[in-house]
Amino acid sequence: MNVPPPGGGPLTPSARDHGVALARAARAGNTLALHDLLDHLTPYIARICTPIALADGPDATQEALLAVFRSLRSLRDPETLYGWVRSIAVREAVRTARRAGRDRPAELADVPGPGDPQLAADIEDVLARLSPAHRAVLVLRDIEGLDEESAAALLGVPPGTAKSRLHRARTSFRKAWFS
């Protein structure tokens, strides 16, 4: 069964079922299934890690894949595979971004002035001006489509904190984008 990996768009039911079946087989000791599962999950993990860790997205993706590999036996219910993987990917992306020294947002004085064509064209540049925590909540809410409570649970913060981070992240993003 050749099912496209869950990377570029929404997770299809057949791709989800395929991933769950691979997780079950890998947990049972099938090394080929483990290899196929990691290949299957790579684009999904990269889609989460890259906007949070930016240039270090590939490193965060690798770290998340290693964490999935090491912890797969601790996954109690393979039906929860994608939520479990998402939480690992977010954690590793934030950790990698912080380790890389991107935890401190840029000063507004450092933001290019109005009319700078690069700023208007480069979303990554705008995202780089946000802290990893702000990028993480933006990715979970605006790319992954999670509600505030689910995003808060994945980030390990109270829902009110996630809501305020999201508000500050969106405000900072808009300021950087339109300045």
Side-chain angles (χ1 to χ4, degrees), residues 61-124:
T61 300
Q62 279 300 114
E63 292 296 327
L65 285 166
L66 282 170
V68 167
F69 171 76
R70 289 181 185 132
S71 304
L72 187 59
R73 291 202 186 270
S74 72
L75 175 64
R76 291 184 185 145
D77 181 6
E79 292 291 325
T80 64
L81 173 69
Y82 293 97
W84 180 74
V85 168
R86 184 187 306 123
S87 67
I88 290 171
V90 169
R91 182 185 69 231
E92 292 301 327
V94 169
R95 191 178 63 72
T96 299
R98 283 186 177 145
R99 189 178 61 228
R102 291 181 177 28
D103 196 23
R104 191 178 48 100
E107 296 295 324
L108 282 180
D110 296 338
V111 175
D116 185 329
Q118 185 64 32
L119 179 61
D122 192 0
I123 292 174
E124 186 172 322

Side-chain angles (χ1 to χ4, degrees), residues 16-53:
R16 182 191 176 287
D17 292 345
H18 181 65
V20 169
L22 287 172
R24 279 196 176 102
R27 287 184 72 238
N30 183 331
T31 56
L32 287 175
L34 177 60
H35 176 74
D36 289 346
L37 176 65
L38 294 175
D39 284 347
H40 176 78
L41 292 173
T42 298
Y44 177 72
I45 291 171
R47 187 181 81 196
I48 295 167
C49 289
T50 300
I52 298 170

